[in-house]
Structures are given as structure tokens and as C-alpha cells.
Amino acid sequence: MTNLGGAPLPEIFDSFNQARKNGFLAVKKLKDEGVGVVGTFCTYTPFEVFSAAGLVPVGLCSTSDETIPAAEQILPRNMCPLIKASYGFAITDKCPYMYFSDLVVGETTCDGKKKMYELLGEIKEVFVMQLPQTQSLSSAKALWLSEVKRLKEHVERKFGRTIADDDLREAIRKRNLERAKLKEFYELSALSPPPMTGLSQLQFLFGSQFKFDHAGKMAEIGQAVAKIKEAYEKGERPVPASAKRIVLTGCPMGGATEKVVKVLEECGAVVVAFENCTGAKQFDRQVPEEGDPLENLAQYYLEIGCAVMSPNPNRLELLERLVKQFKADGAAEMVLTACQPYSVETETVRRRLKELGVPFLSLETDYSGSDLEVLRNRAAAFLETLA
Ligand code: BJ8
């Protein structure tokens, strides 16, 4: 783990921006040391089950269009790029994280993902958790709890470990600490003007998932927060006070979809918060540390406000809270092409934000660069309407 204690702010941001690339070596080293690796695709995955077993979980969702042509030889073209790219990286063996994964865990979220897991199962060991599509029914809660238990038992069998309640409690405590630290980091952008651009914030949050030494990562995040505060107090203002403040919602972001943030910021906005799975959806809440750890984990994860849930009130609740906390001038949404859950839910989000008097822009995009001009025109036109 790099010691960034004395490093200047740009270097600290760069360390997180490069984390996905540099993490390959860290994962290889862990594998060489005999540590098991579990690949995951979704925020619903109860991460703590793996950490409690001494395993390293790593995110597999692909964010580049490099392998989409290979995936389209098998999958339909009119499918979400996240699914095509993830499958493409698996069949072309181009993702070291997929390659090093001893087990891949997915959930029955959207139809495309769950059907892709069936094909992925032909080349990797895949464990699919049956995710309920609603949150408040007691039958949904019971199903998800039984699925979390089934996952725990599978991990114990496959890796020859026993996961005690105390191991789970310790994993919850550590992950809660990480959530709290990352929340403290992104909440700095509630300042007016914010002390960092939305692109810097996104790259930091995205990169944080590819740092595998927990203690080192906690120290680095703490150092980053301290440096950002110090620079701000000294009068550094990387974002002009005139920039329109935007909360971003929608599908997970990173890699190719950074273009949406870049376009908004080039047009005079600043993204102050990310409601999506790259941001607050992952870090906003804490898993209770008292009581039965498996029940706590099941309840926490089931309450994630993703559009695959029907109804999905928790996304609206978080979005509304962020809009207020970050004093947003407007909200923007990124929907990946052919993502039905999010594209249909756009109307629900639009209506709620209209009630709140918050201007809203929904942008559909994919992993290519071919729509940059359209995105730019739409972003510029939207920002002009903000008072
Ligand atoms: S908790 S957002 S990580 S499901 S974009 S693959 S929904 S067609 S990614 Fe997601 Fe979990 Fe929800 Fe978060 Fe399907 Fe839509 Fe593609 Fe998606």
C-alpha cells in the first residue's frame, strides 16, 4: 500500500483513479499467497460474507466497450452495455479480476443480467442469489435471508472455512468504517463551492473498490479528506462558485460513462453527489452491528433502492435527501441503453423531482464515444434553463 501521507492532493486522487489498473497486481499477489478471490457484480451482494471468510471480493462490472463486439457474437446487440461488456471480458479472458476469481456471485436483478449468468456459468463457477423484486413483504425478507444463509454455507463448503457470527460482526464493523469514511469524503462536496470536481469524486469512489488492504485504504481516505479540507481552508477553489450544482442518479458509473460527468462539467455544471451504485447508494447507510449478523446483513442489502425493485421508494428517498443536503440546482440521470428498469423508472423520478421543484435531465448513453455531441447539446440546453 502506498503511503500517501505527505503526497500532494493530485497524487492522492491519482492513486484512486489508477486503482483498478494497479489492483491487478495486488490481486495476483493475494492469489499467490493462497487468498481466495470472489468476483461480484452488484451492490446487493453481501460483501461481508466473503471478508468474514478471509476472502477478497472484487467488482467485475466492466466499464469499457472493448469486448462488446465479442459479446455480441452470443448476446443480443440491443442489450445493456454493462452486461455485454462484463460477459465479453469473461469470454475473451481480458479481465484479470474475472480470471483470478475462484467464484463469481451474481443476483437475479434485471432479466439481462440473470440470463447472462447462465451463460457465464459455462466458463466460471457462478453462484446466483435469488433476489426478491420487492422489499416490504415479509415473504421477500424471508427469501433474502435464506439466500444470504445459502451463500454463507456455499462459501464455507467451497473454501473449507467456518464463518462464525463474530467473523461476520468484525467484517460488518470494517465495512461500516469504510462506508463512513467514503461518506465523509463525498460529503465534502456539500460545501459551496465544492472542493473537488464531480469527475475527481467519481474516480475516487470508483477506484476505492480496487484497493484491497483495509487498514491502508482507511488511512488513504483519511489523508485525502484532511488534504482536501486543508487546501480548501487555504483558499483553493477547483470549482467556480458559478457552477450549477447537480446530483447524478441512475445506473452505476465509471470508466466509459465518466463522459457524462465530463460533459456536464465542461458545460458549466459540477456534479456534487452520486446517488447511484458508484456513490451514495453504497455508502449512505450502516449495517447494524448489534444483533444477529446475518439478519442484519439481509435487511440492509434488501433495502438498497435499485430500479429492479417494485416499488422502489428508497431510491427516491435518498435522491431527495441528497438534493437537499448538497443544495442541488438540478438532478441528472444516466441510463444505460436498453436498461429497462431504470429507463421506465425515469418517469417516476421526474414526477417526484417536479413536485420538489428540482429541474431534471435524463440522459441515455452507452460505452461508446459516438453520442458525445448529443450529450453535450442536451446538457448545455438543460443547464441554460437553470436559474
Ligand atoms: S443494485 S443498479 S449494481 S442491479 S444497467 S445490468 S439494471 S440493464 S447494474 Fe445495478 Fe445492482 Fe441495481 Fe446497482 Fe441491468 Fe440496467 Fe444493465 Fe444494470
Side-chain angles (χ1 to χ4, degrees):
M1 175 65 55
T2 338
N3 178 8
L4 293 167
L9 199 45
E11 212 169 285
I12 292 179
F13 275 119
D14 206 43
S15 159
F16 280 77
N17 188 18
Q18 298 298 320
R20 187 171 195 276
K21 205 170 77 194
N22 299 336
F24 294 158
L25 292 175
V27 168
K28 179 171 184 314
K29 187 162 171 286
L30 289 166
K31 284 288 287 190
D32 291 345
E33 290 165 1
V35 178
V37 176
V38 181
T40 66
F41 277 105
C42 179
T43 311
Y44 283 107
T45 315
F47 190 97
E48 290 86 344
V49 170
F50 314 123
S51 321
L55 308 169
V56 171
V58 63
L60 297 178
C61 284
S62 298
T63 55
S64 112
D65 65 354
E66 194 185 329
T67 61
I68 287 182
E72 285 177 346
Q73 302 290 317
I74 296 168
L75 300 177
R77 289 173 67 92
N78 61 342
M79 197 175 207
C80 147
L82 190 155
I83 300 172
K84 284 192 289 189
S86 301
Y87 183 66
F89 272 96
I91 55 172
T92 56
D93 244 351
K94 281 190 174 166
C95 173
Y97 292 121
M98 178 74 83
Y99 176 80
F100 287 130
S101 294
D102 300 294
L103 175 69
V104 172
V105 175
E107 292 78 18
T108 52
T109 51
C110 61
D111 287 351
K113 249 186 182 174
K114 69 188 176 211
K115 298 310 285 184
M116 182 271 278
Y117 294 144
E118 293 176 11
L119 296 172
L120 188 61
E122 295 169 357
I123 48 176
K124 289 296 284 186
E125 183 181 338
V126 180
F127 182 91
V128 179
M129 301 179 74
Q130 300 295 321
L131 179 75
Q133 309 282 287
T134 195
Q135 294 156 316
S136 58
L137 292 179
S138 55
S139 54
K141 292 177 187 173
L143 169 60
W144 188 236
L145 175 59
S146 73
E147 285 299 284
V148 174
K149 282 185 180 155
R150 192 169 67 87
L151 174 71
K152 172 185 167 280
E153 286 159 10
H154 185 82
V155 166
E156 287 180 320
R157 261 196 317 276
K158 172 161 178 67
F159 293 94
R161 316 269 161 90
T162 301
I163 305 174
D165 279 0
D166 280 346
D167 299 326
L168 285 167
R169 286 197 189 98
E170 177 61 7
I172 290 171
R173 195 194 58 74
K174 282 181 157 178
R175 184 72 169 151
N176 274 346
L177 180 65
E178 180 175 346
R179 291 185 181 104
K181 290 231 170 232
L182 286 169
K183 186 171 175 170
E184 186 188 0
F185 162 77
Y186 71 69
E187 284 188 336
L188 292 172
S189 283
L191 288 164
S192 288
M196 64 188 128
T197 63
L199 186 61
S200 297
Q201 186 191 143
L202 174 67
Q203 290 175 338
F204 191 99
L205 293 174
F206 181 77
S208 71
Q209 61 181 312
F210 300 102
K211 288 184 175 259
F212 305 108
D213 164 17
H214 183 264
K217 176 158 64 171
M218 295 310 95
E220 283 190 34
I221 300 170
Q223 287 155 12
V225 169
K227 293 263 178 193
I228 294 168
K229 283 184 179 166
E230 189 187 312
Y232 199 80
E233 276 158 21
K234 280 189 187 149
E236 281 183 35
R237 296 289 182 271
V239 177
S242 59
K244 296 294 175 200
R245 303 168 66 88
I246 301 293
V247 171
L248 241 167
T249 180
C251 297
M253 297 184 87
T257 49
E258 282 179 1
K259 66 182 172 182
V260 173
V261 180
K262 285 183 187 155
V263 160
L264 283 163
E265 299 198 327
E266 280 163 13
C267 291
V270 57
V271 177
V272 283
F274 293 84
E275 182 277 334
N276 59 20
C277 275
T278 325
K281 216 191 285 280
Q282 270 205 73
F283 311 121
D284 176 62
R285 297 176 301 127
Q286 296 267 296
V287 180
E289 294 180 16
E290 303 300 322
D292 184 288
L294 276 186
E295 283 178 14
N296 289 342
L297 285 172
Q299 189 176 339
Y300 169 89
Y301 281 97
L302 187 62
E303 285 173 5
I304 289 167
C306 171
V308 297
M309 290 292 165
S310 177
N312 181 24
N314 294 347
R315 177 184 179 197
L316 297 179
E317 184 277 323
L318 177 58
L319 181 57
E320 185 174 335
R321 200 150 40 79
L322 293 177
V323 161
K324 288 181 181 150
Q325 181 188 358
F326 288 81
K327 301 175 282 296
D329 297 301
E333 175 186 60
M334 187 214 68
V335 177
L336 289 172
T337 314
C339 171
Q340 289 182 342
Y342 277 92
S343 60
V344 176
E345 199 167 272
T346 296
E347 184 56 23
T348 311
V349 172
R350 188 190 307 282
R351 287 179 195 169
R352 172 60 70 89
L353 289 172
K354 193 171 177 197
E355 281 165 17
L356 297 171
V358 178
F360 175 62
L361 170 72
S362 181
L363 296 166
E364 189 185 85
T365 192
D366 58 18
Y367 286 180
S368 75
S370 61
D371 59 355
L372 270 177
E373 217 32 58
V374 176
L375 292 174
R376 207 168 277 130
N377 289 339
R378 294 204 54 213
F382 172 67
L383 293 170
E384 262 179 33
T385 66
L386 302 186

